[in-house]
Amino acid sequence: MIYVDYAATSWPKPKEVLSAMTDFLEYSGGNPGRSGHRLSIAAARIIFGAREAVAELFNISDPMRVIFTYNVTYAINLAFRGLLKPGDRVVTTSMEHNAVMRPLRALEKAGIELTVVPCGPDGSLDLEAMRKAITGGTRLVAMTHASNVVGTILPVKEVANLAHEAGAYLLVDVAQTAGVVPIDQPAQGIDLLTFTGHKGLYGPPGTGGLVLGERVDIAELEPLVRGGTGSKSEYEEQPDMLPDKYESGTINSVGIAGLGAGIRWVQSRGVESIRAHEAGLNELLLSGLQNIPGLTVHGTCDPSKMTAVVSCNMAGQHVSEVGLRLDDEFGILCRVGLHCAPAAHKTIGTFPEGTVRLAPGVFTSLEDIGTVITAFEKIAVQHG
Ligand SMILES: Cc1ncc(COP(=O)(O)O)c(C=O)c1O
């Protein structure tokens, strides 16, 4: 079996992640921040350790500005719902996942003004178009760091400068880049960094978070959910301290134990070295696929400008058929279709059918990529 669906979720997980989770349940299974006994304290220490790991990964100094959520979708909804009011102007791009687009479209119906900046057919962002869209009075710019359809990396720092000049916050969805591309939140000017734990951070599903940059005043950000936090229990109102203001109810502590271990594992390998490994795989994959007659590869096709996420179409064959054959005949597991990003497919010209998406990762070898290319060659020949 060759797993090239890391853009959907990473698999397998490192054994350190599995043992952090079973150890948590076996030895530290109290409710963190609630009771004062040793199991509760042991759990709280592990959660704080995971907060520190996230803070280090994104280079922020205060781990309390890391808010754990259940995935990036929840973190994005928390940021949008907490910050935006009817009449606010929001700018986004046409390469967004529905995790960004759907909440924004719903808020548009509720009275925000939304501008979607069109990207090029390779997924790249025209900074001049972005500059024109970010007028004074813009409250928020929300963008993906890299497309989950074609891997194109968008210029975060440059957009941050434009957003900040206009007095707006910048939210970045780093679902596809956390653990895969080095990220320095303060240096890149990211005010609201939203991440998911189960992809390039090698944590389990059900983990993610929102990291608040120094410019964000928490008085401006309402919680999405209110309830018990284990703190200030004498009050019937939500506490206004971090991270409790935004973490109501028992968190996914076992998942976060796994996420902390995943991030430590990524750090021990080094994000730069993961990036280099994936760029090598990507280069081989792109050059092999581009030589196959009838196969169209989308995006920039330049490993230095993208993550290892390659989308393609085989002339005359529906993507579902190709995906099924890859799985059944060659044991190659990938994803086909729209990848929850219809706007991105409209941008690159593959809507409504979508693409066959190949996304190798840390455990993929060059030999695996060779097998994937041979499989595509066979499918192309048999069809042609
Ligand atoms: C760019 C991007 N944003 C958001 C998401 C949603 O991630 P999750 O389902 O973990 O919230 C994904 C995952 O598919 C993604 O690739």
Side-chain angles (χ1 to χ4, degrees):
M1 199 164 74
I2 295 178
Y3 184 85
V4 277
D5 198 16
Y6 282 77
T9 200
S10 53
W11 186 89
K13 304 296 180 189
K15 66 177 179 0
E16 289 82 348
V17 171
L18 308 189
S19 45
M21 294 175 74
T22 49
D23 284 356
F24 181 90
L25 289 174
E26 206 166 352
Y27 305 115
S28 341
N31 200 333
R34 304 305 201 265
S35 323
H37 58 68
R38 68 193 78 180
L39 286 185
S40 172
I41 291 168
R45 282 209 177 102
I46 289 169
I47 301 306
F48 189 72
R51 244 184 255 290
E52 286 181 314
V54 174
E56 262 175 48
L57 182 72
F58 299 128
N59 194 30
I60 65 148
S61 53
D62 182 3
M64 301 308 259
R65 295 184 81 82
V66 175
I67 297 154
F68 285 123
T69 61
Y70 303 104
N71 45 49
V72 71
T73 303
Y74 189 106
I76 291 166
N77 275 270
L78 161 58
F80 288 167
R81 294 264 165 199
L83 201 63
L84 299 173
K85 294 184 187 54
D88 282 344
R89 264 183 59 75
V90 179
V91 176
T92 192
T93 84
S94 72
M95 289 307 286
E96 300 309 314
H97 188 278
N98 269 343
V100 167
M101 210 54 106
R102 284 182 172 168
L104 286 181
R105 289 295 184 203
L107 284 166
E108 191 180 26
K109 286 201 176 117
I112 67 157
E113 196 190 315
L114 180 64
T115 302
V116 181
V117 177
C119 289
D122 61 358
S124 60
L125 178 68
D126 174 2
L127 275 173
E128 208 30 57
M130 193 46 122
R131 183 192 307 278
K132 283 190 186 130
I134 305 175
T135 54
T138 300
R139 177 91 169 117
L140 181 71
V141 179
M143 66 189 282
T144 188
H145 190 187
S147 162
N148 68 314
V149 176
V150 283
T152 310
I153 297 174
L154 303 190
V156 166
K157 174 70 188 141
E158 289 77 0
V159 176
N161 291 342
L162 298 175
H164 294 167
E165 272 166 32
Y169 284 134
L170 175 67
L171 177 147
V172 182
D173 167 3
V174 301
Q176 289 295 329
T177 52
V180 164
V181 175
I183 296 173
D184 184 323
Q185 183 169 356
Q188 288 173 285
I190 304 171
D191 300 305
L192 301 130
L193 180 146
T194 55
F195 69 94
T196 212
H198 63 97
K199 299 186 197 257
L201 301 179
Y202 292 86
T207 59
L210 167 65
V211 188
L212 298 176
E214 291 295 332
R215 294 174 74 248
V216 178
D217 177 358
I218 67 161
E220 292 182 276
L221 187 69
E222 288 295 312
L224 191 59
V225 171
R226 293 175 176 80
T229 57
S231 56
K232 306 231 174 184
S233 293
E234 63 277 29
Y235 295 111
E236 291 183 9
E237 288 78 31
Q238 190 74 8
D240 59 4
M241 66 213 223
L242 281 169
D244 302 21
K245 182 171 178 181
Y246 309 105
E247 283 182 1
S248 290
T250 300
I251 57 173
N252 177 10
S253 47
V254 62
I256 290 166
L259 172 64
I263 295 174
R264 293 294 180 209
W265 182 84
V266 163
Q267 284 169 317
S268 72
R269 293 204 152 207
V271 177
E272 291 282 8
S273 101
I274 291 173
R275 171 97 178 115
H277 171 73
E278 294 192 4
L281 302 173
N282 206 9
E283 198 166 335
L284 182 64
L285 183 60
L286 287 165
S287 59
L289 293 181
Q290 281 172 314
N291 283 331
I292 299 175
L295 197 78
T296 305
V297 184
H298 306 280
T300 71
C301 296
D302 176 349
S304 71
K305 294 184 179 155
M306 61 187 288
T307 56
V309 174
V310 174
S311 257
C312 60
N313 289 86
M314 185 88 85
Q317 290 192 66
H318 196 277
V319 292
S320 315
E321 190 191 334
V322 176
L324 207 61
R325 291 193 61 188
L326 286 170
D327 188 353
D328 279 359
E329 295 171 32
F330 304 95
I332 294 168
L333 314 187
C334 65
R335 184 170 172 191
V336 302
L338 291 170
H339 320 110
C340 300
H345 285 277
K346 286 175 190 161
T347 305
I348 68 167
T350 49
F351 187 84
E353 181 177 331
T355 55
V356 179
R357 185 183 72 179
L358 302 161
V362 165
F363 298 114
T364 315
S365 65
L366 288 170
E367 201 188 346
D368 292 334
I369 298 295
T371 308
V372 170
I373 295 166
T374 308
F376 271 90
E377 285 165 348
K378 286 185 180 156
I379 292 175
V381 167
Q382 284 162 9
H383 192 77

